[in-house]
């Protein structure tokens, strides 16, 4: 529960740090704060909940939030590399928080956080590719077969 508590207690700080680092990415510089953040606050809430409730089958964070984020970034003409960089910066920011305040955080919590973030990256990558193919005229059937 230590890592979940850290994420919840430092949520705004995590968002500020994340935005500062992500703003150094080429495509992210042009976004408004609201567009940049889009679903990151909800994703942080979901990650904290997953850390508390490992038996939870709530896939909302790795499914819906990742899909919406990918769709928005495709529409904003982001490159997939930059989308993945945004998620890598989020991971780095959260792990940095743990390094700064390691008391009460177990190694298994860090492992679970990484697994959940890996799921988010997988869904986001697949959805981004599907949307990009669809926008470029690939058949719906071809786009749908990605990730299966």
């Amino acid at each position: 529960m230590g890592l979940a508590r850290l994420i919840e207690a430092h949520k705004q700080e995590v968002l500020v740090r994340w935005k500062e680092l992500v703003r150094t990415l080429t495509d992210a510089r042009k976004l408004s704060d609201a567009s940049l953040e889009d679903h990151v606050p909800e994703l942080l809430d979901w990650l904290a909940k997953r850390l508390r409730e490992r038996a939870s089958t709530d896939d909302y964070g790795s499914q819906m939030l990742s899909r919406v984020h990918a769709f928005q970034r495709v529409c904003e003409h982001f490159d997939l590399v930059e989308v993945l960089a945004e998620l890598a910066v989020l991971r780095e920011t959260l792990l940095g928080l743990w390094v700064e305040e390691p008391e009460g955080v177990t190694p298994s919590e860090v492992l679970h956080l990484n697994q959940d973030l890996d799921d988010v990256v997988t869904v986001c990558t697949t959805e981004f590719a599907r949307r990009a193919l669809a926008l470029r005229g690939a058949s719906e059937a071809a786009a749908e077969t990605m990730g299966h």
Side-chain angles (χ1 to χ4, degrees):
M1 301 295 177
L3 193 51
R5 180 192 52 76
L6 273 178
I7 292 170
E8 291 167 341
H10 296 280
K11 182 177 172 182
Q12 288 307 312
E13 181 183 338
V14 167
L15 284 169
V16 168
R17 287 181 185 185
W18 176 78
K19 282 193 294 189
E20 285 175 0
L21 290 170
V22 168
R23 286 270 185 226
T24 66
L25 303 174
T26 306
D27 289 339
R29 289 184 192 136
K30 64 186 177 191
L31 297 177
S32 68
D33 275 356
S35 186
L36 179 62
E37 275 186 27
D38 64 12
H39 296 89
V40 175
E42 291 89 352
L43 180 58
L44 291 172
D45 292 340
W46 179 80
L47 288 167
K49 180 181 178 185
R50 288 281 293 171
L51 286 167
R52 278 200 165 79
E53 304 169 10
R54 283 318 298 168
S56 171
T57 58
D58 176 13
D59 289 337
Y60 183 72
S62 67
Q63 297 293 322
M64 184 55 78
L65 294 173
S66 300
R67 286 187 170 121
V68 171
H69 185 77
F71 177 72
Q72 287 177 330
R73 293 305 189 248
V74 166
C75 292
E76 293 160 343
H77 306 289
F78 268 55
D79 183 274
L80 179 57
V81 171
E82 296 226 5
V83 174
L84 295 176
E86 284 183 335
L87 295 170
V89 168
L90 182 60
R91 183 186 312 259
E92 181 180 317
T93 303
L94 291 170
L95 292 176
L97 182 63
W98 163 57
V99 168
E100 291 170 15
E101 296 188 35
E103 300 82 28
V105 177
T106 66
S108 65
E109 289 176 299
V110 177
L111 178 63
H112 289 141
L113 174 69
N114 275 306
Q115 290 169 337
D116 289 336
L117 286 169
D118 287 346
D119 289 346
V120 168
V121 167
T122 300
V123 172
C124 197
T125 301
T126 303
E127 190 63 22
F128 186 95
R130 281 183 185 152
R131 298 292 180 160
L133 284 171
L135 286 174
R136 287 168 181 78
S139 72
E140 185 79 21
E144 273 303 307
T145 61
M146 294 205 54
H148 292 290

